[in-house]
Amino acid sequence: MRRVHMLSSDVKVGIAAAGFLGCQILFLVFREVIERRTNRKFAQDAANRIPALLHGTLLSIAGHAVVVRCAGVAATDCTPLASWAEAAGAFSTGYMMWDLLCMQQIGYEHAVPLSLHHAASAAACVLVIYWCPEGLWFMAALMMTETTVPFENAAWLLNWRRDCGRGAQHGGGALGASRRLLLLVWVLYRILLFVPYFKAVVGSHAAVRAASYPLLCTVYGMGAVLTAFNIGGLLQVVLPNVREDRQWAEQKPSLRTPSQQLGTPRRNPRRTVRVGTPCKSATASH
């Protein structure tokens, strides 16, 4: 099972630094553009999603490529994909560090669980891409959980449209469909995925322990941490949003409250944040 690093340390440090700076540039540019049409707090939340979408898409592609093409944890014929996985891990490290800083600057509510998730993920990526290349397959498997990010952002965008009143009159059917689709993808990639993951971990226990005991602790620990984090997200965010859409659809428009008809900021599919009024008006404060 012994592997070697495919990229030099300098290259990986450069990718991580580029990821950090690139995310900050994207955030600043999109924040200024979006703020011209909305308010600042909403613009910050929306701009934060651009790097998150890029990060989630890249990691999902890299994770699927390595897990599908590399037939098992001990595969030795995946050199190009291993290089891609190391690059994705380095970029993810830069993104996680940037998002930790960004959340503090913006002032997200309930950011502690997400901060712990980011810190643990960044530490695991650093361990694998710098010291324990034997863990690349496990890292790639965990990258696949990022498949939910595009669906989360699509649901968030449709929620914004309904909050602005554009979808209120017809019940926001597209939003309900997107949230049900997010529920399906979330269960597949953030819950059920850990069944084959832990099966691979247990099956490779001896080989991983022989390669590195810290790596063994990491693959077990990250699996447990992410499973708990994802179940929490399912129970606290995804399922309540689906129930909210069902209640909305069952109500007659005449029975909805004015806030429901005009749109009130709702729970965010990715994280909860006070965004004020998402639609810019003459009285919006900046």
Side-chain angles (χ1 to χ4, degrees):
M1 186 181 175
R2 190 64 187 173
R3 290 182 184 270
V4 295
H5 289 295
M6 306 309 302
L7 300 177
S8 68
S9 296
D10 291 342
V11 170
K12 286 177 282 194
V13 170
I15 293 173
F20 184 94
L21 294 176
C23 288
Q24 181 66 7
I25 292 172
L26 285 174
F27 171 76
L28 293 175
V29 170
F30 278 93
R31 184 187 66 183
E32 294 305 314
V33 172
I34 297 171
E35 188 179 352
R36 295 174 184 175
R37 301 180 66 110
T38 61
N39 62 60
R40 186 171 184 82
K41 286 189 176 183
F42 178 79
Q44 289 181 147
D45 184 38
N48 178 270
R49 293 173 179 279
I50 305 301
L53 180 60
L54 174 63
H55 169 261
T57 303
L58 290 177
L59 261 65
S60 177
I61 294 173
H64 279 85
V66 172
V67 170
V68 172
R69 295 292 300 276
C70 298
V73 177
T76 58
D77 57 346
C78 298
T79 298
L81 292 177
S83 299
W84 192 8
E86 286 193 358
F91 174 77
S92 182
T93 302
Y95 165 79
M96 295 291 182
M97 301 308 295
W98 167 80
D99 204 25
L100 283 170
L101 178 63
C102 187
M103 284 190 290
Q104 296 301 318
Q105 293 176 341
I106 293 176
Y108 279 107
E109 292 183 344
H110 312 298
V112 173
L114 193 59
S115 297
L116 293 175
H117 167 274
H118 281 16
S121 298
C125 285
V126 169
L127 175 67
V128 171
I129 66 177
Y130 286 103
W131 289 288
C132 301
E134 297 84 3
L136 277 177
W137 190 92
F138 298 107
M139 184 179 74
L142 296 179
M143 286 179 178
M144 291 173 63
T145 62
E146 293 294 308
T147 302
T148 62
V149 173
F151 297 92
E152 294 167 24
N153 283 277
W156 177 86
L157 181 61
L158 291 170
N159 184 70
W160 171 76
R161 288 187 73 252
R162 193 171 73 176
D163 286 346
C164 287
R166 298 186 179 119
Q169 66 273 22
H170 52 73
L175 174 60
S178 71
R179 284 178 167 174
R180 288 190 291 272
L181 182 58
L182 172 59
L183 173 61
L184 174 62
V185 177
W186 190 283
V187 171
L188 288 175
Y189 279 95
R190 290 191 177 265
I191 306 296
L192 297 181
L193 175 67
F194 286 91
V195 175
Y197 173 83
F198 278 112
K199 182 178 179 180
V201 171
V202 173
S204 305
H205 179 95
V208 175
R209 181 182 176 88
S212 170
Y213 185 73
L215 176 62
L216 179 68
C217 297
T218 298
V219 295
Y220 274 108
M222 284 302 298
V225 168
L226 292 182
T227 299
F229 177 84
N230 295 335
I231 291 175
L234 177 69
L235 297 178
Q236 296 182 17
V237 179
V238 181
L239 285 176
N241 283 340
V242 172
R243 286 195 294 267
E244 176 193 78
D245 285 308
R246 185 177 301 148
Q247 294 170 356
W248 175 280
E250 291 173 351
Q251 280 184 325
K252 294 181 179 180
S254 60
L255 297 178
R256 293 172 187 159
T257 64
S259 64
Q260 286 177 314
Q261 293 174 346
L262 296 176
T264 302
R266 288 172 173 80
R267 186 178 289 108
N268 189 312
R270 181 165 179 259
R271 53 182 73 145
T272 303
V273 58
R274 288 179 179 171
V275 297
T277 304
C279 305
K280 191 170 186 177
S281 64
T283 59
S285 59
H286 296 264

